[in-house]
Amino acid sequence: MNTDPRARELAEHAHRIARETATRLPSWNDLPLSERERATTEARFWLRAAIEAGIAPPADGPDAAGGENR
């Protein structure tokens, strides 16, 4: 399954926002791969929920935000 690229972007921005108050957090690129993957997976679920709630547009393509692989 391909991940909607917006999920990774959402995860990165959420991490950046968290760093505004938790300044000891490493930058996105300094996080272990497993942490970036976990954050992206969580963001993918939130993005899917936003799409299904009608507050975010679906992405193009069958694999975007769940697509045919639900």
Side-chain angles (χ1 to χ4, degrees), residues 17-65:
I17 291 167
R19 288 187 72 211
E20 289 175 1
T21 55
T23 57
R24 291 185 162 274
L25 287 175
S27 69
W28 176 260
N29 289 331
D30 290 335
L31 285 174
L33 178 59
S34 62
E35 287 296 313
R36 292 187 308 239
E37 289 174 342
R38 183 201 54 75
T40 301
T41 297
E42 183 175 343
R44 189 176 71 240
F45 290 120
W46 281 108
L47 180 58
R48 179 178 170 187
I51 291 167
E52 290 183 9
I55 59 176
D60 295 333
D63 290 334

Side-chain angles (χ1 to χ4, degrees), residues 7-20 28:
R8 181 173 184 262
E9 189 171 345
L10 182 62
E12 286 186 55
H13 282 272
H15 184 73
R16 180 188 50 78
I17 291 167
R19 288 187 72 211
E20 289 175 1
W28 176 260

